Amino acid sequence: SFRHQQTIAINPAELYDPTPNGYSHVVIAPANARWIFVAGQGGEDASGLLTEGFSAQLQRCLNNLRIALAAAGASLQHVLRLTVLVVDHDQQRLDVIGEALRKAWGDYCTPACTLIPVPRLALDGMLVEIDATACISATEAKAV
C-alpha cells in the first residue's frame, strides 16, 4: 500500500499489478475531508479548440484537470478516482494513457481508474475525456 496526505492506495496481491497502467485498485480517502468533483475535461483549450491527435488531447486533458483542481485548492495528488473515456480505444492508446498517468502522478498515490471505450464524445474530433473525484484532508483544506 501507499500513503500520501492521509490517502491510502492499496493493490492487493490477489489482483494484477495496475502500476504499469498508472492507477491503483483501491484508494481510501482521508477522514473529515472536502470532496471535489471535476467534470469531464477534454483536449480543448480555453477558446474551445481541440488539439490534434490522441496524445496531444490527452496531455491537454491532464492540463485542464490540473487547472480545474487548482480552482478548488487541489492538485493531482488529491485525486482519488478517474474515469477516462476513449474513442477508438486500443492497446496503443492504453499504453499512451498508462505512461501519461504514471508521469503525471509521479511519486503521488495513483488514483483508482476506470477506462471506458466510447463511440463518440461531446465535440467532433474529441478523442479522450477525463473526469475526476478528489479529496482534500481537513488539515489541508482552505476556503475557496
Side-chain angles (χ1 to χ4, degrees):
S1 70
F2 180 90
R3 293 173 187 264
H4 181 76
Q5 302 294 332
Q6 302 173 351
T7 299
I8 302 169
I10 304 169
N11 291 309
E14 298 83 8
L15 300 175
Y16 80 95
D17 180 9
T19 306
N21 291 322
Y23 72 95
S24 299
H25 281 296
V26 179
V27 179
I28 301 171
N32 301 316
R34 172 184 289 163
W35 289 91
I36 301 162
F37 301 91
V38 180
Q41 299 300 306
E44 67 276 357
D45 63 18
S47 68
L49 294 175
L50 281 170
T51 56
E52 291 292 324
F54 182 79
S55 293
Q57 284 193 25
L58 178 61
Q59 287 307 313
R60 175 53 82 174
C61 286
L62 291 169
N63 288 339
N64 290 346
L65 179 57
R66 286 181 183 97
I67 292 166
L69 289 164
S75 65
L76 292 180
Q77 76 185 50
H78 299 105
V79 174
L80 302 183
R81 181 166 175 66
L82 295 175
T83 303
V84 181
L85 305 170
V86 180
V87 175
D88 296 328
H89 178 65
D90 60 14
Q91 185 63 47
Q92 181 180 3
R93 289 194 172 173
L94 178 63
D95 293 344
V96 170
I97 292 165
E99 181 179 341
L101 295 181
R102 285 191 316 273
K103 183 177 177 184
W105 266 264
D107 292 332
Y108 294 126
C109 172
T110 53
C113 182
T114 299
L115 186 149
I116 303 172
V118 296
R120 178 183 160 82
L121 291 165
L123 304 174
D124 288 341
M126 191 174 183
L127 302 173
V128 60
E129 182 175 357
I130 301 174
D131 74 20
T133 302
C135 188
I136 301 176
S137 68
T139 57
E140 288 183 276
K142 298 176 182 70
V144 176

